Amino acid sequence: MTDLQIITSNNGKLREFKEIFGDSKYIPVQNNIDYPEIQASSLEEVVDFGLDWLQKTTKPPFVIDDSGVFIDFFNGFPGVYTRYIYDTIGLNGVLRQMEDVEDRKCTFRCVLGLLTESGEKQKFVGECSGTLIKELRGKGGFGYDPIFIPHGFEKTFAELSSDEKNSISHRGKAMRKLIDFLLK
Ligand code: IMP
């Protein structure tokens, strides 16, 4: 078994890493070190900067995760600002901004950045499309899960079991690509 550092202070993300890595030969271990998240136009740029910054201070291998929700009606906003919006106006504020919006389609994206033991950088991307509903439903998951219904389902991410969420989620998809890479 090999430890793999996951650099995050988000316990929801860490839980999903542990669930998805399951009984692969890697054990996700949390590292709470804070790194700057730059203002950029894509999650990929945020991850590239994070990997470069952390390379100077932290011994690899490690993984970082930058995620966001891209709402069609707002031309992809909040995207890279997803956490800021969550921390400022919260889910109720998002629902208020969307009160009269009919087109509620959106896509969750997750970009995972890996720095390997030999200093190689890799990124893995996963996406999950769906709609934002008009109220909060469900107690599971974290973040925007209570207002997001993935395409083809009737339950929110917060109402689905964690296995169901992980099997279709942006993070689940990105993480399975990461695991395939690690096992090669
Ligand atoms: P960051 O990746 O730490 O910048 O956070 C992005 C924002 O997206 C945070 O507000 C998270 O709560 C939210 N988020 C990331 N992944 C998920 C998810 O799987 N479900 C719901 N919200 C998420």
Side-chain angles (χ1 to χ4, degrees), residues 43-44 66-83 94 98 103-111 125-133 144-145 147-151 157 165 168-171 173-174 177:
L43 299 176
E44 281 83 350
D66 203 45
S67 314
V69 62
F70 296 74
I71 301 175
D72 287 12
F73 182 79
F74 296 134
N75 294 324
F77 187 79
V80 291
Y81 304 103
T82 301
R83 187 163 89 187
V94 174
M98 294 193 67
D103 175 9
R104 306 185 72 90
K105 292 190 298 299
C106 64
T107 302
F108 261 110
R109 292 189 83 236
C110 170
V111 178
V125 181
E127 293 190 350
C128 179
S129 294
T131 52
L132 293 178
I133 57 168
Y144 291 69
D145 283 351
I147 61 170
F148 177 76
I149 296 192
H151 187 67
F157 263 172
K165 176 183 172 187
I168 54 167
S169 76
H170 46 306
R171 184 163 299 100
K173 289 175 187 163
K177 291 181 192 171

Side-chain angles (χ1 to χ4, degrees), residues 166-180:
N166 294 337
S167 70
I168 54 167
S169 76
H170 46 306
R171 184 163 299 100
K173 289 175 187 163
M175 226 181 285
R176 282 186 287 279
K177 291 181 192 171
L178 164 67
I179 293 171
D180 283 352

